[in-house]
Amino acid sequence: MTVSTDQFESLIRETTGFDKEYQWPISVEKGVTSMMSKMKIHDRSEFYQALNRSSNILFNFVQQFTINETYFNREPLLFELTSNILIPELLIEKQAKGPLHILSAGCSTGEEPYSLVIAMMERYGSGCKKLFTFSAVDIDIEAIMSAQEGRYSRRAVHMLDARVIDTYFHQLAPGQYRINNFIKNSVTFYQSPLKKISSVFPNHKMDIIFYRNVSIYFDPLTRQKIFHQLADLLNPKGFLLMSPTETFAHDFKRLALIEKEGVFVFHHQKQSVMSDSKPLQKNVNKKPDMSQKQKSDGLSHVIELANRKQYAYALEQLETYSCRDNDDVQACILKACILINLQQFNDARMICKHIFENDMLNEAACLLLGQMDHLENKKKNAQDYFNKALYINPQNWLAHYYLAKIYEEHQQIRLAVNTYQTVIKLLDEGKFNAHGLSFFPLSFSKSDIIFLCKTRLEKLKREASDVF
């Protein structure tokens, strides 16, 4: 009896845990045909039986359907948080009782675990080999073999400073690099599907686990199963880090979701939270004094007044909504926008900070705080707020744009160029309204921003032709 394509697809999903919505990089039929040709098998039933008999053949088969798009220092805020905040806390807690154990779950071709080693080297020097162990797991044996070889393209290292590349890589040819042996030998790689990761470390606990940009491939039940296994692997005081877009979908109450320097991480619920950590809080309570239609109509009128630059009258109208008591977040953000236009930064900052303290996921408050700090030349604070806004919404092109300007001002040319290009890409993809202030129309158009970004890119590339 001939084995159907659906049966092969079910086997792939059962092995990997991929969600039904997962988009294959190649068709299942093409993967079957390709693998049968390599193995010189002509009968589909014979091939299906071989897959069920041999885990090696099965893994070689399913790796055709995994996607390994990654690069060094992806989401740099998470690496900074780990090296500067989480690691010092854990080192103090552990009091030199053995090294800290760090795991990259779903490591692909090695960019993430090697980025972790580099981050520790930058902070703690060559002695970090005694302070840490680094492990990495992936289902794809070819990806692991590639990681162990340590060869990377220009694309893979594009987020790294030239100094970091010179320090930790050898250039093999134009656009081709190999990571140095110290970094490469610091990571131990394991092949396993993540839904069986507990079997890889049966008697071993981790202090920090990175689990980013992987769960999108899995169905909800598999996500929960993997998350619980990772929670079991975590030491009582350890931390689990995920990408911003994945974090809140994994709040299964098994671990506490806490805030560290504006970033949300998972932590064991039974442990006391550090003094600078804040538990996730609900949105600011809204207690409207009038109907939603009345409020909507009133705020639309205020926005119209603000767009006509009748700021004083607009502020008067806002008092109707009890904004002084901060019981309507949208009205308060609108008031802060108007105050910023009037350059009354102190009052605007008080409003935004109050909102942010009660709702750490308020993208608009983050963005406005960053804008004010940028206008007052507090570039480091501004950069932190814009990064927080991107943690909440990675598609916030306005936050990317401000970061690009800061990078340019600091002569971080490569970062500036990459970030301006990100702005253009997001706008080309139709994300113009994803700027965090969607109810407050911007005074410039999409084409204006794209033209401005392209102009800055041309200038930067002319001035730094040696970098490009």
Side-chain angles (χ1 to χ4, degrees):
M1 181 176 177
T2 303
V3 180
S4 69
T5 300
D6 287 345
Q7 286 175 276
F8 284 108
E9 182 173 330
S10 295
L11 181 61
I12 298 166
R13 294 193 190 282
E14 181 184 340
T15 304
T16 61
F18 285 168
D19 189 279
K20 289 182 179 179
E21 302 301 319
Y22 175 69
Q23 298 296 309
W24 310 109
I26 61 171
S27 70
V28 173
E29 187 61 37
K30 184 174 181 180
V32 170
T33 303
S34 173
M35 189 74 174
M36 287 178 63
S37 176
K38 287 179 183 177
M39 295 182 65
K40 296 181 169 45
I41 295 177
H42 304 290
D43 182 77
R44 289 166 69 95
S45 296
E46 181 185 345
F47 175 55
Y48 188 76
Q49 291 170 6
L51 292 176
N52 283 283
R53 282 196 308 266
S54 171
S55 59
N56 287 334
I57 295 174
L58 179 60
F59 281 133
N60 287 334
F61 174 61
V62 300
Q63 73 186 16
Q64 299 175 101
F65 306 99
T66 60
I67 298 175
N68 297 308
E69 163 61 18
T70 186
Y71 47 86
F72 282 86
N73 209 28
R74 186 176 183 180
E75 296 166 340
L77 191 62
L78 296 184
F79 292 102
E80 292 172 13
L81 174 75
T82 300
S83 60
N84 298 334
I85 304 296
L86 304 185
I87 291 295
E89 284 188 10
L90 290 169
L91 287 173
I92 292 170
E93 182 68 35
K94 205 157 189 176
Q95 296 181 348
K97 295 176 183 176
L100 296 178
H101 303 295
I102 302 175
L103 169 65
S104 169
C107 64
S108 186
T109 47
E111 287 88 341
E112 179 176 271
Y114 290 147
S115 292
L116 284 164
V117 181
I118 290 172
M120 297 308 111
M121 283 287 293
E122 288 287 287
R123 173 70 189 252
Y124 301 97
S126 58
C128 76
K129 197 159 189 178
K130 295 181 180 178
L131 292 173
F132 311 106
T133 68
F134 301 91
S135 303
V137 176
D138 200 273
I139 190 175
D140 189 337
I141 187 60
E142 287 191 2
I144 290 175
M145 291 172 65
S146 176
Q148 291 172 326
E149 185 179 2
R151 291 181 62 138
Y152 297 98
S153 66
R154 184 188 299 277
R155 163 69 183 163
V157 302
H158 77 280
M159 284 292 287
L160 299 176
D161 291 340
R163 180 194 63 79
V164 172
I165 295 174
D166 291 341
T167 303
Y168 299 105
F169 294 81
H170 305 293
Q171 185 164 1
L172 303 175
Q176 291 294 320
Y177 304 87
R178 173 175 283 152
I179 201 158
N180 72 29
N181 287 335
F182 180 87
I183 305 296
K184 186 165 63 172
N185 296 336
S186 296
V187 181
T188 303
F189 290 91
Y190 302 87
Q191 181 199 14
S192 172
L194 292 184
K195 68 179 187 177
K196 296 182 179 179
I197 195 169
S198 58
S199 65
V200 180
F201 306 101
N203 303 305
H204 199 49
K205 295 287 188 180
M206 298 293 166
D207 296 288
I208 290 180
I209 299 175
F210 267 57
Y211 175 48
R212 305 181 307 148
N213 306 302
V214 182
S215 68
I216 55 173
Y217 303 136
F218 304 131
D219 62 71
L221 187 61
T222 302
R223 288 177 197 167
Q224 190 163 6
K225 181 178 180 180
I226 293 171
F227 184 87
H228 284 302
Q229 288 193 51
L230 293 175
D232 288 338
L233 277 178
L234 201 61
N235 266 325
K237 303 252 178 173
F239 298 97
L240 171 62
L241 289 83
M242 302 186 70
S243 287
T245 53
E246 300 172 291
T247 300
F248 300 101
H250 287 75
D251 191 8
F252 298 125
K253 310 305 177 187
R254 172 69 188 279
L255 299 174
L257 187 58
I258 63 170
E259 183 266 341
K260 288 278 191 180
E261 298 293 311
V263 176
F264 291 97
V265 299
F266 287 103
H267 194 52
H268 270 295
Q269 205 160 13
K270 292 182 180 179
Q271 300 301 323
S272 59
V273 178
M274 300 287 183
S275 59
D276 64 339
S277 303
K278 299 178 182 178
L280 180 64
Q281 301 185 34
K282 301 294 183 183
N283 289 340
V284 177
N285 292 327
K286 299 181 180 180
K287 301 174 183 177
D289 297 323
M290 56 193 72
S291 73
Q292 289 299 317
K293 184 178 186 306
Q294 286 176 311
K295 295 184 75 174
S296 177
D297 291 345
L299 288 181
S300 297
H301 178 54
V302 172
I303 291 170
E304 184 181 343
L305 291 171
N307 286 336
R308 297 206 304 261
K309 303 190 184 305
Q310 296 180 17
Y311 298 131
Y313 189 34
L315 289 173
E316 286 180 14
Q317 293 295 303
L318 273 174
E319 293 302 320
T320 307
Y321 306 100
S322 303
C323 190
R324 269 179 293 186
D325 296 327
N326 290 337
D327 64 349
D328 187 303
V329 175
Q330 191 178 57
C332 291
I333 289 293
L334 182 53
K335 182 176 182 179
C337 288
I338 294 170
L339 291 172
I340 290 171
N341 279 292
L342 292 170
Q343 298 191 5
Q344 296 179 21
F345 295 147
N346 288 339
D347 291 340
R349 186 175 277 108
M350 285 178 62
I351 292 171
C352 292
K353 284 193 171 180
H354 179 85
I355 293 170
F356 188 66
E357 285 169 2
N358 287 278
D359 178 9
M360 295 173 189
L361 301 182
N362 193 289
E363 183 182 357
C366 261
L367 197 64
L368 293 178
L369 286 166
Q371 287 176 330
M372 285 184 278
D373 282 335
H374 188 256
L375 288 168
E376 293 184 330
N377 208 33
K378 300 173 183 175
K379 300 299 170 61
K380 178 62 172 66
N381 289 344
Q383 187 171 348
D384 288 344
Y385 277 121
F386 293 136
N387 277 321
K388 289 173 185 177
L390 290 177
Y391 186 82
I392 297 165
N393 174 18
Q395 296 184 330
N396 188 319
W397 64 265
L398 191 54
H400 281 294
Y401 176 75
Y402 280 115
L403 281 174
K405 290 181 68 175
I406 292 173
Y407 293 143
E408 185 177 356
E409 290 161 4
H410 289 170
Q411 293 298 301
Q412 295 175 283
I413 306 302
R414 190 183 296 276
L415 282 174
V417 167
N418 290 336
T419 311
Y420 278 128
Q421 289 172 337
T422 297
V423 175
I424 294 172
K425 181 174 181 289
L426 288 171
L427 293 176
D428 283 341
E429 290 175 351
K431 302 296 192 299
F432 181 67
N433 290 325
H435 53 65
L437 300 171
S438 54
F439 68 94
F440 195 87
L442 302 178
S443 60
F444 38 76
S445 67
K446 168 185 166 181
S447 58
D448 291 335
I449 293 297
I450 291 177
F451 175 77
L452 184 57
C453 289
K454 287 183 176 178
T455 301
R456 301 311 304 159
L457 283 171
E458 290 174 6
K459 181 177 182 296
L460 287 169
K461 289 182 177 180
R462 281 198 308 271
E463 293 177 352
S465 55
D466 58 319
V467 179
F468 303 94

